[in-house]
Structure formats: C-alpha cells, structure tokens
Amino acid sequence: MNATVRRRGLPRVPGGEPWPPGTGAATAATTAPVDAVGSSDAPAAPAAAPMPSATSTRTTDAVLPAATEGLPLRRGLPRTPGGDPWPPAAARRPVEDAVASSVHVGDETTGATALADPAASEVPAVATAAADRPPLRMPRTVVPTASSEQWSDLRAERLGRERTPAPAPSRRVAQALAGGAALAVAAVMVVLFTRWIVSTPAVAAFLIAYPGDYPLPETAPVGLPAWLGWQHFLNAFFLVLIVRSGLQVRHEKRPSAFWSPRRNAKRKISLTLWFHQALDVLWIANGILFVVLLFATGQWMRIVPTSWEVFPNAVSAVLQYASLQWPTENGWVAYNALQQMAYFTIVFVAAPLAIVSGVRMSGVWPRDAERLNRAYPIAWARAVHYPVMLFFVAFTVVHVGLVLATGARRNLNHMYAAQDGDGWLGVIVFAASLAVIAAAWIAARPSVLASVARVFGSVASR
C-alpha cells in the first residue's frame, strides 16, 4: 500500500477550510487487483485512478453529512427572467443523498466506479429540471432610436449611390442628344416669343428711342491698338489653363506629385495646385498691365459706362440679339451698351472677385491672423470662387459665339490684327492662337510640369 495525499481545493462556504476537509486527506491506496476484493465480473478500473480502500470510503461517508449539515445552500442567478435563484432549495438533499449512497463500505467496486466516472453521480431530479427548463432569454440592451434609424437610412442611401453603376456610353450620348434637343427647342421658343414682343408698337417705339448704343465722350479714342490684341490673347491663354487646372484641383483625390518651396520644405502642395497658382500669378500680372494701359491710353471709356443711357440701351440690345436681329454696331469705334456692361463686369467685378477669393484659399493668406480669418472666412471664398469660374466660362462661350455669328472676319481683325476690314489676317492669327492654347493644354502634364516646377522649388512624387 502506498500513501497518497489528497488534493484540496477552494472552501465550500465563505471563510471555511479547503475542500475536502483535512480528515482522510492521507489515505491508503491499495495496489491489489480489483478481482481480489470484489466480484470477478466487475470491470477493471483505469490504472491512472487508484481504487479507494474501505478506510477511505468510510471516512468520506462520515465526513460528507457532517461537513454539509447545517450550512446554507449557495444559490445563484435565476435561469429564467423573474424566476427563483438557481439551484432550487430542494435540490440539496438529493445531491447529498446521491453522493453518500454512491460510496459503500462493503462495495468498493461501486465506489471506484463513482469516483472514476463523475457523470454517474449526477442527480436525476436535477438533470430532469435542467432538461425541462426553457431557453434563456437575454434582455434587449440596445434600443434603436430615431437618430440611429436615420443614420441607417442615410448609410444605406450612400451605399446605394456609391454602388450605382455609371451610365453606359450609349446612354450618355442619348442624354446629351436629348439635352441638346431640349435646348434647341427652348431657343426657338425664346426667338419666336421675342420677335412677337418686338413687333408690338410699344416695344418697337422703345427700340427706336434706344437703338442699343449711345455716343462716347469726345475724347474717346477710335480703333483698337496692337497691345490690346496681345493682352486679349494672353488673357484667353491663361484663362483656359486656369479653368482646366482649377477643375483638376477640385476633383483630384490622390496627387501624383507634390511641390515644396525651397524656403519651407515642410509646406507641400500638389503639383496641379502649384500650376494653378502659377497661372493665377501670370494672369493677375497681365490684368494689372491691362488696366494700367487701359487708363493710360483712354481705352477705358470704351468699356466703362459714362451715361445712364447704358441701361435702356442694354435692354434694347438684348431684345435685338434674342430676336436674331443683330443691332447695328461698329466695334472699331464703340461697343454697344450690352457689350460695354459685359466687359465692365468681367474686368472690374468678376476678375477682382476671382483674385480675392483665390488668395484667401491659397497659402499666401496668413493662417494665424484670427481676426482677419473671422472677418473673411474661407467658406465665403469657396462659395464665391467656383461660381465666378462658371461665369467666366459662360461669358467666353457667349462671347465667342457672338463674335463668329455677327461678322467673324471683321471682329477677328479688330481683336487680333488691330485693323478694320474684312481681310483674313485676323482669322489666321486667331487660328494660330488656338493652336498655341491647344499645345499648352496637351503639354500641361505632370512630367512636363515637374521639370518647370523644379526651377522654383522641389518636386517629390508619390
């Protein structure tokens, strides 16, 4: 027989001794075969689990009732909402009886089987109660609110928009054709309606009183100088590239390259934004030179209204253009009232708004000036800059269309050849200017821009 020490665990009651009690902790383990004590038909116990002796079974039988008698039953949370604590109060005695009855002094085989197989000592009453109990119901701890449901709807709508497939090219062409047809129908309706209005006696008398232009001051110059033609070309050249680069900056998500000035290597902007701002500087310089020459040569009187008659004459010009009955004019001597107001708005209203809003969004603006930033928020600049760009685009489209529709050769000679006549020189110069603008459009790619940007700073690719 070998003496073994029983392993003791946590106490069964708060403040008690470790379980099982110290009595019987040291027991005698017999090494005799099972068939020498019990029946030869009994199954053999595993070698790793020694058979308890009669002494150990007597000790367990004596200690179990004594150790648990009089102690309160430890009960936990209920198994069902609103139920009694588990286990029930009546479940203690069957457990103790089952454990005590599983250990007999005269039947060591039964005791060994109970110790080797703990599942054999389970109480049928407890097992039946566990099998019959309903499934646990967890209380709902998260309740959807109006804000959460609204967020879910917005998220679903956003995912729907993101996953919406792009329209096919054929569908885009169909949409473009439908839009063009709608615009054509609307234009025809406007022309017909305007011609009906012009045919009325009151409007006809108005057109006679205000033909669409008024006489300029006597000191106003006649004709267009050559510098004005060059200024016109440079303005168109810079404006086309500014609009293109500005739209690229607006829709660019992952720039391919960045530019940093030499004096501040930490400041980085995209190469496209650098190109846009560089064009802005050149456009502003050209505009300043244009305004200086405009007032120095007296050409300002051609685009700045000098009489209140400009307003009724502008209305008359609008009616004549809308009815496709072009107003009689001579741009070499003076512009009509509508042209004068349009050019004045472009030079002295739209251009300053584009400059002021662009400077506010650029790196030139002092970011640490709190009072200045509060007086002129960047949100205001963003709200103005893009609509001003759209106004420039719309003006350019209408301006070029009217130039070509109201005597293309003579108008192009005025703007590009600085002469009055119907020759082809202005057309040739205009075509050459379009070729230069197209070449600059094609050349304005990152590989070309990077080589130019390195002259003024450092360029790093992604």
Side-chain angles (χ1 to χ4, degrees):
M1 299 180 61
N2 298 330
T4 59
V5 180
R6 186 184 299 273
R7 297 179 63 183
R8 305 172 66 190
L10 297 176
R12 292 295 181 90
V13 294
E17 296 181 357
W19 184 267
T23 306
T27 60
T30 179
T31 58
V34 178
D35 54 1
V37 179
S39 172
S40 61
D41 298 335
M51 300 286 294
S53 63
T55 307
S56 63
T57 55
R58 290 193 191 93
T59 304
T60 305
D61 192 16
V63 171
L64 182 61
T68 58
E69 185 176 0
L71 296 178
L73 176 64
R74 299 181 64 182
R75 306 171 67 189
L77 297 176
R79 292 296 181 90
T80 58
D84 296 331
W86 187 268
R92 179 178 181 84
R93 182 54 53 191
V95 173
E96 295 177 356
D97 295 344
V99 173
S101 62
S102 64
V103 181
H104 299 282
V105 177
D107 191 358
E108 295 182 358
T109 304
T110 307
T113 304
L115 293 177
D117 188 6
S121 62
E122 293 181 357
V123 182
V126 179
T128 303
D132 296 339
R133 68 174 181 267
L136 295 178
R137 296 182 179 179
M138 301 301 296
R140 191 174 188 179
T141 58
V142 179
V143 180
T145 59
S147 59
S148 63
E149 293 179 357
Q150 183 180 7
W151 182 89
S152 299
D153 296 340
L154 292 176
R155 179 62 178 170
E157 182 182 357
R158 179 182 178 185
L159 290 177
R161 289 199 306 267
E162 292 176 353
R163 296 174 182 175
T164 301
S170 58
R171 185 177 179 183
R172 293 180 179 178
V173 173
Q175 292 177 352
L177 293 176
L183 290 177
V185 172
V188 171
M189 297 298 293
V190 169
V191 171
L192 295 178
F193 179 73
T194 307
R195 287 194 172 186
W196 173 77
I197 292 179
V198 171
S199 63
T200 59
V203 177
F206 174 79
L207 295 179
I208 295 174
Y210 300 99
D213 57 359
Y214 64 96
L216 296 181
E218 297 181 357
T219 56
V222 177
L224 299 175
W227 65 263
L228 193 60
W230 282 102
Q231 290 285 325
H232 187 272
F233 161 71
L234 292 176
N235 182 72
F237 177 82
F238 293 135
L239 189 61
V240 169
L241 296 180
I242 285 173
V243 171
R244 183 207 180 197
S245 60
L247 292 176
Q248 288 178 338
V249 171
R250 183 179 179 89
H251 299 287
E252 191 176 40
K253 296 181 179 179
R254 292 179 61 87
S256 59
F258 295 89
W259 178 84
S260 300
R262 291 191 177 93
R263 293 179 297 178
N264 186 9
K266 295 182 179 180
R267 178 175 174 263
K268 291 183 178 182
I269 60 176
S270 67
L271 187 62
T272 308
L273 181 58
W274 172 85
F275 182 54
H276 181 73
Q277 294 180 354
L279 292 171
D280 288 339
V281 173
L282 296 176
W283 180 68
I284 292 173
N286 181 71
I288 293 174
L289 180 61
F290 172 77
V291 172
V292 171
L293 293 175
L294 198 68
F295 284 94
T297 59
Q299 291 288 333
W300 65 270
M301 287 181 281
R302 294 172 59 91
I303 65 172
V304 176
T306 56
S307 173
W308 291 107
E309 295 182 2
V310 66
F311 294 105
N313 280 285
V315 174
S316 174
V318 169
L319 293 175
Q320 296 177 61
Y321 278 122
S323 62
L324 299 183
Q325 298 173 357
W326 311 126
T328 302
E329 62 180 14
N330 186 3
W332 186 254
V333 177
Y335 298 127
N336 63 50
L338 184 61
Q339 289 176 317
Q340 189 179 55
M341 293 186 65
Y343 296 152
F344 175 83
T345 304
I346 283 290
V347 176
F348 297 103
V349 178
L353 285 177
I355 295 172
V356 173
S357 58
V359 170
R360 177 63 180 90
M361 295 187 297
S362 68
V364 181
W365 187 268
R367 302 184 182 277
D368 298 333
E370 298 182 359
R371 294 183 179 179
L372 192 59
N373 292 335
R374 286 197 301 267
Y376 184 21
I378 192 172
W380 293 3
R382 290 173 179 169
V384 170
H385 200 69
Y386 187 70
V388 169
M389 184 273 293
L390 295 179
F391 175 76
F392 271 102
V393 173
F395 170 81
T396 303
V397 172
V398 175
H399 174 65
V400 174
L402 291 177
V403 166
L404 299 178
T406 58
R409 286 190 296 177
R410 188 178 184 184
N411 291 331
L412 292 176
N413 276 328
H414 292 171
M415 291 188 294
Y416 287 94
Q419 62 183 10
D420 187 19
D422 296 333
W424 291 93
L425 180 61
V427 177
I428 296 174
V429 177
F430 173 69
S433 68
L434 292 181
V436 173
I437 294 174
W441 182 290
I442 297 173
R445 57 184 61 187
S447 58
V448 179
L449 296 178
S451 59
V452 180
R454 288 190 181 95
V455 180
F456 306 95
S458 59
V459 179
S461 60
R462 179 178 292 277

